[in-house]
Amino acid sequence: MHIPDGFLPIWESILFWIISLIFVAKSIMWAKNNLDEKSVPLFAALAAGIFAIQAMNMPIPWGTSGHMVGSALTAIIFDSPWAGVLMLTLVLIVQGLFFADGGLLAMGANIFNMGIIGGFVGYYVFKALKKSNVALASFLGGWCATFLAAIACAIELAIGGVFPLDKGLMYMGLYHAVIGIIEGVITAIVVSYLSSTKPDLVKSLSTQ
């Protein structure tokens, strides 16, 4: 799902950088008001975990790849989609600068897909369903975040002329529908475990 440089035209890369920078600025404001010395270690541990799970890439036809995202889990635990935006921004910066995983020009689009779409979709799906079943809400939050981020990626690549929209939607959607199941299960397991052993760590369970 990491779009490398050269896949998107310059205008599209700049557009997504502008959009993503607005969200990143808001996420930094969120961090200033909500992260403290107690929550920073958990945030850092999640960042390391997300970095690790994103290293497990699966090649997808037409030159891209599939993997888990992690923004929904972050947003659920910290009770804010801005946490997901900030987390994925930091992970993508490290991956892009030091591991050539995702382009620098295309980083705005990658932040938009995995951080913004993933964080907001995952968080609000969980919030809408958590009263019925926390584990199911977590699973669907993780699945929807992964699947819709991939769909957005396919649309952006089609706009950039990388591959036809129908094939992009088919392959990115199909692969990430399956990968999303794994992400949903991991999200449900982590949220369920923390809610039973350390409920104070899952902030979204204590809010409406």
Side-chain angles (χ1 to χ4, degrees), residues 41-177:
L42 177 60
F43 195 85
L46 271 176
I50 290 171
F51 186 90
I53 64 172
Q54 287 198 358
M56 295 182 285
N57 281 293
M58 177 184 297
I60 292 180
W62 295 86
T64 183
S65 63
H67 55 75
M68 290 179 279
V69 177
S71 49
L73 177 61
T74 305
I76 292 169
I77 289 178
F78 286 92
D79 192 30
S80 173
W82 300 111
V85 175
L86 181 63
M87 175 71 76
L88 267 294
T89 299
L90 296 175
V91 169
L92 288 166
I93 288 173
V94 173
Q95 291 172 334
L97 287 177
F98 301 105
F99 297 92
D101 194 6
L104 300 182
L105 283 173
M107 191 179 294
N110 290 326
I111 292 172
F112 180 82
N113 298 335
M114 290 179 264
I116 297 171
I117 292 179
F120 276 82
V121 169
Y123 177 73
Y124 284 107
V125 168
F126 174 80
K127 291 281 282 186
L129 301 174
K130 71 173 185 177
K131 288 184 179 178
S132 57
N133 187 297
V134 170
L136 179 61
S138 303
F139 172 84
L140 291 175
W143 187 88
C144 290
T146 304
F147 181 75
L148 292 180
I151 293 299
C153 179
I155 294 172
E156 292 157 13
L157 291 171
I159 292 173
V162 177
F163 46 59
L165 180 60
D166 58 343
K167 289 185 169 52
L169 291 176
M170 181 178 70
Y171 285 113
M172 290 291 282
L174 179 62
Y175 276 70
H176 284 90

